[in-house]
Amino acid sequence: ELGGSLANNLTSAVQGARRLRGHPVHADTIRHWTDLLHHARRALSGGSGEPIHALIIELEKELADRAA
């Protein structure tokens, strides 16, 4: 369950991921970020009017960098 707007949640996730670069992140946090991405993609494909496309790309990049 999300508190606040999807855009705000994505922004917080991106900021957190950037802040934690180079540091270990708990698996639950990674799972939350991944679930948030899935939710955001569904909202976007469902016609969400929130400006979330760029935030989705940013969070995807942060997660991809972490996996590399």
Side-chain angles (χ1 to χ4, degrees):
E1 187 174 320
L2 299 176
S5 73
L6 187 51
N8 286 346
N9 279 275
L10 286 165
T11 299
S12 293
V14 169
Q15 289 172 343
R18 287 179 180 159
R19 186 176 56 254
L20 294 169
R21 275 186 197 154
H23 299 283
V25 176
H26 197 277
D28 287 345
T29 302
I30 299 292
R31 191 169 23 260
H32 172 72
W33 291 341
T34 302
D35 290 346
L36 181 59
L37 273 176
H38 292 303
H39 181 75
R41 288 183 197 120
R42 282 192 306 271
L44 196 61
S45 69
S48 173
E50 282 192 81
I52 58 174
H53 189 265
L55 293 168
I56 291 170
I57 292 170
E58 287 297 316
L59 187 52
E60 287 174 336
K61 181 182 179 315
E62 291 296 330
L63 288 173
D65 289 349
R66 218 166 257 293

